[in-house]
Amino acid sequence: MILKRYLLAPGPTPVPPEVLLSMAMPVIHHRSPDFLPILDSAKRGLQWIYQTKNDVLILCSTGTGAMVAAVNNFFSPGEKVLVINGGKFGERWVKIAQAYGLEVIEIPVEWGYSVDVNRVEEELKKHSDIKGVLIQASETSTGVYHDIESVGKIVKNYEDTLFIVDSISALVAHDIKTDEWAIDVMVSGSQKGFMLPPGLAFISVSDKAWKRNEKSKTPRFYFNLKKERENLAKNQTNFTSAVSLIIGLNEALKLMQKEGLENIFRRHSILAHATREAVKEIGLKLFPKGVPSNAVTAIEAPQGIDGQVIYKTLREKHGITAAGGQDKLKGKVFRFAHLGYADKFDVIVGISALEMTLNELGYPVTFGKGVAKAEEIFSKEDKK
Ligand SMILES: *Cc1c(COP(=O)(O)O)cnc(C)c1O
């Protein structure tokens, strides 16, 4: 039998045919008049999805490049930052900050939990010289959402502290209000919620952050946000624009605008809810003890079955690329994304394959039980 491929990983995610086709057009020159309106439209679309009046700059890198830019454009070596570290990507903030000579104070959060926001206030009171608070909105490795709105309310009161959010997997899946929640710098990447291939990163910058940028002494060359800002004002990027990806970005934004912000967030919330309920119906446990992410569901492998074997069986026997566990969660969890170009039948395909996989691995399943739960939830939602 042929094996049809389904991509249900938390990045890269599937790309709609309209977007793929738009990127198949001949390459145009990034300084030509053909390109200027394309970049103009992309930058406005990004402000729309970011819910911001701030600049949203486009970088030619994956999401991590924008994380690097968020560190080396706003701080100076020796300065203190507070990192909320509750997983693989929290750890990445720590490593990047240290690589650029910052002093890192951590709030370690047990994997699977959301941060207790009072801890942020405590640390900010304890150290008056914290220059930035760095956090993930959705910690993709654990499938947990941190309460960005509440942390924003705290950090806002500290004049000299920037609020820096990695929204790489959260944006699009969650309603994140950059301006209303006082997020100074927010990073995201093309291959997660944006329905695009990997290769672009986006970063918003508030006025408070631009003021800090003037004082920041960390060395930088490629990711120079001040230069990107000057160029963006002329609908250009500092170096060669990733023209095809930006054309695709415009097409993806058009699809998103047609659906509307409210509907996009509602869709992700329903897909995540149905996934979680279906998994519980099968008898498995969700990994998050905190608030679960709407981008990705982390599921505990049942006793005696290796999560990596579940992940591999899903892929090799059923054509479903989900995700395994990272680092200390390797073997203990596996993850299904419902992010970007995802609908109810992606969830049903994933759950169905999971039931068959578990059966093959000797875990007792009643075929169709999880699928039925998902169908029930979707049918109820469709009537609303
Ligand atoms: C995927 C992801 C990243 C890393 O993005 P790359 O595109 O692989 O560089 C960082 N943070 C979070 C929360 C992610 O989900």
Side-chain angles (χ1 to χ4, degrees):
M1 257 204 280
I2 63 160
L3 203 56
K4 191 166 167 184
R5 295 267 168 203
Y6 297 86
L7 190 51
L8 302 179
T13 62
V15 180
E18 296 91 325
V19 176
L20 289 170
L21 269 178
S22 74
M23 293 187 299
M25 296 299 280
V27 173
I28 58 175
H29 195 278
H30 61 291
R31 309 280 179 217
S32 74
D34 302 343
F35 189 63
L36 307 185
I38 293 171
L39 198 60
D40 185 54
S41 152
K43 80 181 180 194
R44 287 169 207 281
L46 285 171
Q47 286 177 313
W48 169 77
I49 191 76
Y50 263 72
Q51 306 185 58
T52 186
K53 292 195 179 72
N54 296 336
D55 301 292
V56 185
L57 308 166
I58 301 175
L59 305 175
C60 189
S61 73
T62 67
T64 306
M67 292 175 79
V68 167
V71 167
N72 75 352
N73 279 266
F74 303 106
F75 303 101
S76 301
E79 283 181 350
K80 250 185 219 166
V81 290
L82 178 65
V83 176
I84 287 82
N85 181 357
K88 194 76 194 152
F89 295 106
E91 260 173 26
R92 191 167 298 178
W93 272 140
V94 173
K95 286 183 186 161
I96 296 170
Q98 286 172 342
Y100 283 95
L102 307 190
E103 187 185 329
V104 175
I105 297 166
E106 279 183 65
I107 298 181
V109 179
E110 192 180 334
W111 287 31
Y113 288 82
S114 309
V115 66
D116 169 5
V117 296
N118 298 317
R119 291 281 296 113
V120 177
E121 180 98 71
E122 273 171 33
E123 291 300 324
L124 285 169
K125 280 193 176 141
K126 204 176 343 165
H127 310 268
S128 61
D129 52 350
I130 289 176
K131 299 290 182 186
V133 174
L134 282 61
I135 191 170
Q136 270 60 43
S138 155
E139 172 54 75
T140 316
S141 60
T142 61
V144 165
Y145 181 79
H146 291 305
D147 183 353
I148 298 303
E149 181 177 13
S150 299
V151 178
K153 276 188 188 139
I154 294 166
V155 181
K156 197 168 98 173
N157 299 323
Y158 293 79
E159 245 171 65
D160 209 23
T161 309
L162 298 179
F163 185 31
I164 300 199
V165 179
D166 164 3
S167 245
I168 295 175
S169 66
L171 195 68
V172 183
H174 285 270
D175 184 0
I176 299 192
K177 302 179 193 303
T178 307
D179 291 355
E180 218 178 298
W181 298 358
I183 300 171
D184 292 301
V185 175
M186 183 155 86
V187 305
S188 63
S190 57
Q191 83 278 22
K192 305 277 170 110
F194 277 94
M195 312 192 288
L196 286 167
L200 289 180
F202 314 115
I203 181 164
S204 68
V205 184
S206 71
D207 290 338
K208 185 173 166 185
W210 281 127
K211 282 196 195 102
R212 177 68 64 75
N213 172 258
E214 286 166 23
K215 292 187 222 150
S216 151
K217 292 186 180 69
T218 308
R220 68 189 75 107
F221 184 80
Y222 187 71
F223 298 124
N224 185 328
L225 298 184
K226 185 167 178 262
K227 288 209 164 131
E228 292 297 346
R229 182 194 208 187
E230 288 160 13
N231 275 280
L232 197 65
K234 302 176 279 182
N235 294 321
Q236 292 279 281
T237 54
N238 195 15
F239 303 104
T240 307
S241 311
V243 283
S244 302
L245 281 170
I246 293 172
I247 288 169
L249 168 64
N250 254 343
E251 205 58 39
L253 284 165
K254 246 191 258 169
L255 293 177
M256 287 193 251
Q257 283 169 333
K258 209 156 118 194
E259 185 176 8
L261 279 184
E262 292 299 319
N263 291 333
I264 293 173
F265 302 142
R266 184 164 170 269
R267 172 168 55 87
H268 283 90
S269 138
I270 294 167
L271 296 180
H273 172 63
T275 304
R276 298 193 282 260
E277 292 305 310
V279 163
K280 286 194 268 177
E281 197 67 22
I282 296 173
L284 301 190
K285 283 200 195 99
L286 302 173
F287 179 69
K289 283 100 196 151
V291 181
S293 163
N294 285 346
V296 60
T297 296
I299 304 156
E300 286 183 18
Q303 195 88 54
I305 300 181
D306 186 335
Q308 290 304 104
V309 176
I310 296 175
Y311 157 72
K312 279 187 193 137
T313 309
L314 281 167
R315 197 186 61 209
E316 283 159 22
K317 285 195 80 172
H318 302 291
I320 309 283
T321 303
Q326 292 172 283
D327 233 334
K328 59 185 172 196
L329 293 183
K330 207 167 197 145
K332 298 207 175 87
V333 307
F334 59 97
R335 296 169 296 151
F336 277 109
H338 18 74
L339 177 58
Y341 188 49
D343 84 345
K344 55 193 168 194
F345 291 106
D346 292 300
V347 170
I348 285 172
V349 164
I351 296 296
S352 170
L354 176 60
E355 289 179 344
M356 291 165 76
T357 296
L358 290 170
N359 173 67
E360 282 151 26
L361 298 176
Y363 175 86
V365 274
T366 308
F367 284 130
K369 218 175 159 199
V371 169
K373 188 72 193 175
E375 288 179 358
E376 184 192 313
I377 289 167
F378 291 137
S379 301
K380 225 183 267 169
E381 288 298 336
D382 282 348
K383 280 195 206 119
K384 278 186 193 162

